[in-house]
Amino acid sequence: MYKFFDRNSESISLHDCRATNVFLNKDVLSFDFADGFWISEKNPRNPYKKLLCTDQSQVDFHLLSGDVNADLTCYVFVKKHGKVIRKTFDYEKLQRKINQKGQELEFLYAYTGYKSVIFECVLWRKKKPYSRDCVLIISTDDVKYRWNKICPDKPYN
């Protein structure tokens, strides 16, 4: 479905990008981005040599053990009675929130370690509270960023 892919996370960013679909295919966890993700001027596939957004895109995480609930940890922070409570979402719950309930997962910051990546995110909802902070921890040994075109009319603002 996609013409291009890259494994270079240093020249691709998910910052401020919202996943609108998540799915699992064997041992690959994928997030779809209806509005794309960012490709920097340093990426050799970027002929425009400035930070631009792609069209619809996808990011694939090859899971380390192949078990999504062992390789994906999702913490969602909920305010109740003046306190913040950390809830754990398994893959099925996260998928249901995004795919069936229309919530969007906005990626803010990424931290890469040895065979793992941590994302600070926001889970956006259509009712109050409209957003909830969350953290994703994915155990992965390969990440592929997929897209069809870079959009010169979509610069980073």
Side-chain angles (χ1 to χ4, degrees):
M1 179 174 163
Y2 293 99
K3 293 179 189 175
F4 305 107
F5 81 89
D6 202 327
R7 289 184 165 102
N8 184 357
S9 63
E10 292 180 18
S11 66
I12 297 175
S13 176
L14 302 180
H15 182 71
D16 288 343
C17 299
R18 292 186 182 195
T20 53
N21 189 35
V22 59
F23 60 96
L24 186 64
N25 185 5
K26 296 182 184 175
D27 57 356
V28 177
L29 175 66
S30 300
F31 292 91
D32 285 337
F33 295 86
D35 293 328
F37 51 64
W38 300 104
I39 299 203
S40 83
E41 61 278 0
K42 296 176 185 174
N43 190 294
R45 295 190 189 272
N46 183 347
Y48 305 101
K49 301 303 174 196
K50 59 183 177 178
L51 181 61
L52 294 170
C53 200
T54 65
D55 59 350
Q56 182 176 352
S57 58
Q58 178 177 308
V59 179
D60 298 331
F61 296 92
H62 182 262
L63 299 175
L64 204 53
S65 75
D67 177 357
V68 70
N69 286 314
D71 292 335
L72 171 68
T73 302
C74 177
Y75 296 124
V76 178
F77 300 90
V78 179
K79 291 182 183 178
K80 278 191 178 179
H81 311 295
K83 295 182 180 181
V84 176
I85 299 168
R86 183 184 80 180
K87 289 187 169 188
T88 302
F89 283 14
D90 62 11
Y91 167 74
E92 290 77 14
K93 186 169 186 174
L94 179 65
Q95 182 190 45
R96 193 170 46 255
K97 295 284 185 183
I98 296 171
N99 296 4
Q100 294 172 11
K101 297 197 176 209
Q103 296 184 18
E104 295 181 346
L105 184 65
E106 181 178 5
F107 288 72
L108 298 177
Y109 303 102
Y111 307 95
T112 304
Y114 179 70
K115 295 194 179 192
S116 68
V117 62
I118 300 171
F119 292 102
E120 290 182 33
C121 302
V122 175
L123 190 59
W124 290 96
R125 305 164 14 129
K126 294 177 181 170
K127 60 183 182 177
K128 287 186 179 182
Y130 296 108
S131 65
R132 292 182 172 164
D133 292 338
C134 63
V135 172
L136 289 183
I137 304 167
I138 303 171
S139 298
T140 182
D141 57 2
D142 186 30
V143 181
K144 288 183 184 171
Y145 301 86
R146 300 177 184 278
W147 73 96
N148 285 320
K149 70 177 195 169
I150 298 172
C151 303
D153 59 336
K154 289 172 62 176
Y156 188 79
N157 295 327

